[in-house]
Amino acid sequence: MKLFMKPDLDFKQYDQSFILIDNTRPRYVTLNQSGHNIVNAIGERGMERTGLIDRLSKDFDIDTGIMEQEISPFLDRMIEYGFIIPGEKTRAAQTGEQEQPEPRKLETLWIKVTNRCNLACPYCYAESGNTPLVKENLDVEDVDRILAEASGLGLEKIVITGGEPFLHKDIIEILKTARSYGAVQVLTNGTVFNGEVFTEAVKHVDIMQFSIDSHRADVNERTRGKGSFEKTLETVKFVSELGFKNIVFSMTPTPDNMENIVEMIDFSIKNKVRRLHINRYCPAGRATRYGDFDVEKFYEQIDKAYGHFSRLFMNARRSSKPLDFSIDVAGDFSLSIFRKNKKFNCGLKSTLLSIEANGDVYPCSALHVPEMLLGNIHRESLEEIYKKESSVCCPGTVDEMDVCKDCRVRYFCGGGCRALAYYINRGLQADEPNCKHYQDRIYKLMSRAKSA
């Protein structure tokens, strides 16, 4: 039977590897020189399997039987992965209907219950603070009504945030109400401590995320203020001793602290934290130093962190002491390269909404700006606002955006962060400022993956 290469494949050479990418789906294989030779031999016109083996045997002066033993497993895997197609009829079927985005579903709802905050971090894109102007709060009845409406839109996860949510006088009732509608994650700086409040809060949340920017008090306090380090750790210790397990540290990398990422892993484990989340540094609000943020240096630190975590994991495995810890990084693609379904976007215009403390609704927690205002929950239902989003936001998929639609890795990247595109290049459909860095990062990660 004749073998054909699947249509719409593209080669990218990276270092010593050849990356074969399927432009119609998030699939790739990393080939060595031998694999590259085989794929080139098949070519666009295809070749009989026996003829391919005979040709390669002559080209490399290797016995036909040995050559067949060597390349048959490779051909079988490439057929299994869908990169090589046996038969003309089957090949024609590969150009049929392509995977489409799933119907819109509001999976995650961010709710800012207050914009008041006892801190004034210099990179806060929400510009939260404790000034007389910051006085809006959502009350318990608001939250209940919002979530009742959201539950009919496919709601799965609720993020309670601020400002500092534990400054809200009814935070426990809000958490209790939210928990009745879905999984609840609360984001806190951990410096507003009340033992009774936190003892009750852990009963109504699935994840408690504490913002802390370094394992060193002096570095953390440059951004979060004097005394913040010890206050946060005291709260984390209190929550941990209550028996609550799902504690997350959230670190926002800046030009000043990104070299602390590796140490933050050990620091998190020492404090019985289950996960380290590396946030995205967003150039909005008080974050005025984005031009100093070196993306390549950031990725270097992330790779060091992955290496360190891998060593810790293997050591724990060898000693039969399970390591209950993970690390996730906003803006990295170490997991994206293994995805099976297309990543059509970053979540904008599809799976999320964010509600301000005054009831204003926006398409993303990082896009609380007048141009992105979708409506207000005090004047419209959330369902009406969610429906309206599809007509006021940017094109919803990488196949619809001019800056993305011809990119080979669009289904792995999902178009990057549209908030960054908006703030840096002044448009939701503009180039994502880190686009070239993302492409290089994805190719680098692919080249490290095992060959087919």
Side-chain angles (χ1 to χ4, degrees):
M1 182 179 291
K2 202 170 187 180
L3 302 178
F4 295 90
M5 298 306 302
K6 181 185 180 298
D8 298 312
L9 297 179
D10 204 354
F11 261 122
K12 169 69 177 181
Q13 185 169 359
Y14 194 94
D15 290 337
Q16 302 301 312
S17 298
F18 299 91
I19 305 169
L20 186 61
I21 301 172
D22 189 338
N23 286 317
T24 67
R25 56 183 184 152
R27 297 288 190 279
Y28 73 96
V29 287
T30 304
L31 307 175
N32 55 25
Q33 185 63 58
S34 296
H36 183 248
N37 292 337
I38 294 171
V39 168
N40 279 340
I42 296 174
E44 293 184 1
R45 296 184 177 182
M47 182 174 284
E48 292 286 344
R49 189 172 186 134
T50 54
L52 173 65
I53 294 171
D54 288 341
R55 173 177 165 177
L56 292 172
S57 297
K58 293 177 181 177
D59 289 347
F60 295 97
D61 194 23
I62 297 175
D63 180 78
T64 302
I66 296 175
M67 179 61 71
E68 183 175 10
Q69 292 177 6
E70 289 291 322
I71 73 166
S72 284
F74 170 80
L75 294 174
D76 291 339
R77 285 195 299 273
M78 291 288 281
I79 292 170
E80 179 186 352
Y81 299 159
F83 286 90
I84 293 178
I85 301 164
E88 187 76 60
K89 186 178 296 186
T90 307
R91 182 170 184 262
Q94 293 291 322
T95 61
E97 185 177 347
Q98 300 297 325
E99 177 190 352
Q100 298 299 316
E102 294 183 0
R104 290 176 73 225
K105 182 173 73 169
L106 180 59
E107 296 176 0
T108 303
L109 183 64
W110 288 63
I111 304 177
K112 274 191 180 184
V113 294
T114 180
N115 205 33
R116 290 177 56 223
C117 188
N118 58 313
L119 305 182
C121 301
Y123 55 73
C124 181
Y125 63 77
E127 295 189 87
S128 297
N130 208 10
T131 69
L133 295 176
V134 181
K135 57 185 179 182
E136 293 96 353
N137 289 300
L138 292 173
D139 59 32
V140 179
E141 290 73 22
D142 291 330
V143 173
D144 190 23
R145 178 170 56 82
I146 291 167
L147 293 175
E149 295 171 0
S151 63
L153 301 173
L155 183 66
E156 296 178 2
K157 181 179 179 180
I158 303 149
V159 181
I160 301 296
T161 182
E164 170 48 55
F166 283 94
L167 287 175
H168 197 298
K169 64 182 180 64
D170 296 321
I171 185 59
I172 295 303
E173 288 304 312
I174 286 174
L175 294 175
K176 188 183 298 184
T177 299
R179 186 66 177 282
S180 68
Y181 288 99
V184 176
Q185 181 171 354
V186 61
L187 313 186
T188 176
N189 61 45
T191 65
V192 182
F193 178 73
N194 180 305
E196 291 184 10
V197 170
F198 275 91
T199 298
E200 189 65 23
V202 297
K203 301 175 184 177
H204 309 295
V205 300
D206 297 276
I207 299 172
M208 191 167 287
Q209 180 171 307
F210 292 90
S211 299
I212 191 163
D213 290 334
S214 176
H215 65 296
R216 291 172 47 185
D218 60 327
V219 176
N220 185 77
E221 291 176 359
R222 283 180 211 160
T223 53
R224 299 192 161 271
K226 189 174 181 179
S228 60
F229 186 77
E230 290 301 327
K231 288 178 181 178
T232 300
L233 289 187
E234 287 172 5
T235 306
V236 170
K237 181 180 179 182
F238 181 86
V239 170
S240 179
E241 289 178 348
L242 290 174
F244 187 79
K245 301 295 184 183
N246 286 339
I247 300 173
V248 176
F249 274 167
S250 177
M251 175 188 183
T252 299
T254 68
D256 298 322
N257 72 348
M258 70 168 71
E259 291 185 355
N260 295 171
I261 294 174
V262 172
E263 288 82 359
M264 278 294 289
I265 293 175
D266 294 331
F267 179 70
S268 300
I269 294 171
K270 177 183 177 182
N271 285 280
K272 299 180 180 180
V273 169
R274 179 167 280 180
R275 177 162 57 93
L276 174 62
H277 171 66
I278 308 298
N279 218 336
R280 191 188 295 275
Y281 185 34
C282 185
R286 292 194 292 265
T288 59
R289 295 185 57 200
Y290 192 80
D292 298 331
F293 190 78
D294 187 331
V295 178
E296 288 304 309
K297 182 178 178 182
F298 171 68
Y299 282 143
E300 288 175 9
Q301 297 303 317
I302 292 302
D303 282 340
K304 289 180 182 178
Y306 287 151
H308 182 64
F309 173 70
S310 179
R311 288 188 291 272
L312 291 176
F313 180 82
M314 295 307 297
N315 288 339
R317 187 174 181 180
R318 282 192 289 267
S319 62
S320 299
K321 296 178 181 178
L323 181 62
D324 188 13
F325 180 77
S326 62
I327 177 173
D328 72 276
V329 184
D332 192 31
F333 304 95
S334 56
L335 296 179
S336 295
I337 64 167
F338 298 108
R339 64 183 303 112
K340 299 300 182 184
N341 297 318
K342 294 178 181 179
K343 184 175 182 180
F344 284 101
N345 54 34
C346 61
L348 194 70
K349 195 183 169 183
S350 60
T351 62
L352 59 88
L353 285 178
S354 182
I355 302 178
E356 181 60 65
N358 65 358
D360 285 344
V361 183
Y362 298 91
C364 170
S365 62
L367 284 168
H368 283 218
V369 293
E371 296 89 342
M372 296 294 109
L373 178 63
L374 300 173
N376 187 287
I377 56 98
H378 298 304
R379 297 187 292 270
E380 303 169 82
S381 73
L382 192 67
E383 183 177 3
E384 291 173 328
I385 295 170
Y386 187 56
K387 288 179 179 178
K388 184 168 59 177
E389 181 190 28
S390 62
S391 63
V392 299
C393 277
C394 68
T397 74
V398 289
D399 291 328
E400 297 172 292
M401 288 188 282
D402 289 338
V403 296
C404 297
K405 64 183 181 182
D406 295 322
C407 178
R408 288 184 260 190
V409 296
R410 63 191 182 280
Y411 297 133
F412 299 96
C413 170
C417 175
R418 290 294 95 199
L420 289 183
Y422 175 82
Y423 289 118
I424 300 295
N425 291 327
R426 309 312 304 165
L428 289 178
Q429 299 183 55
D431 286 328
E432 216 269 27
N434 296 315
C435 179
K436 299 303 180 185
H437 295 290
Y438 294 163
Q439 290 181 17
D440 188 68
R441 177 68 173 171
I442 291 171
Y443 291 137
K444 181 181 291 185
L445 292 168
M446 286 178 173
S447 71
R448 295 175 183 172
K450 292 182 178 180
S451 300

